[in-house]
Amino acid sequence: MTRTRTARNILKVLDEGSNENPIVEDHLMTSDELELVIQDMQDSLDNRLKILATKATQAKSSQKQHFFKTFVQVHKAIKKMTVAEFNETHGCDLLVLLTENSSKSPSGKKRLR
């Protein structure tokens, strides 16, 4: 049995509509064939994990860049204020405003003006 054919046969079992027993086709699968299939699955999983880790790093970097670009636009006097001073000066609760605005824009791409 070839590696691809063996993998296809094993994966048929995972298909909900399949009632066939793919392991017993021509013969029972040998331990070497089973090890090859497991190794292929492990390699595929490792590859997916690397892709996800890369995407997570890119998303984190994008968020940092957005934060710093936005923070630079805030006036220096406001940057120096504490949250309590800001709330007192502007008559609002900054933390409530931030959580409300972040829930309205889950993608982080819309600007509130």
Side-chain angles (χ1 to χ4, degrees):
M1 240 189 240
T2 66
R3 183 179 241 188
T4 305
R5 185 172 164 211
T6 303
R8 265 193 237 132
N9 287 338
I10 287 180
L11 293 176
K12 280 183 190 176
V13 170
L14 300 177
D15 183 19
E16 294 178 49
S18 177
N19 292 328
E20 302 173 17
N21 185 355
I23 297 175
V24 181
E25 192 171 288
D26 296 332
H27 63 283
L28 290 175
M29 190 179 302
T30 65
S31 61
D32 291 338
E33 291 171 331
L34 187 56
E35 284 180 24
L36 288 173
V37 171
I38 291 171
Q39 185 60 46
D40 283 346
M41 289 178 175
Q42 184 64 48
D43 292 345
S44 176
L45 178 62
D46 291 343
N47 195 20
R48 288 180 182 179
L49 289 173
K50 286 179 186 176
I51 290 169
L52 287 174
T54 301
K55 286 183 178 181
T57 302
Q58 289 172 345
K60 186 176 179 179
S61 175
S62 176
Q63 288 175 348
K64 282 182 179 179
Q65 288 175 0
H66 178 72
F67 171 78
F68 288 117
K69 283 180 185 177
T70 305
F71 192 71
V72 167
Q73 296 171 355
V74 176
H75 193 271
K76 192 181 261 186
I78 294 175
K79 287 181 195 177
K80 291 182 180 181
M81 285 184 182
T82 65
V83 172
E85 290 171 343
F86 184 91
N87 291 345
E88 186 179 319
T89 303
H90 296 285
C92 63
D93 188 347
L94 179 63
L95 298 178
V96 171
L97 290 173
L98 291 173
T99 55
E100 287 175 358
N101 289 334
S102 66
S103 66
K104 290 179 185 175
S105 178
S107 67
K109 295 190 181 204
K110 294 181 182 176
R111 275 202 220 165
L112 297 171
R113 296 184 191 252

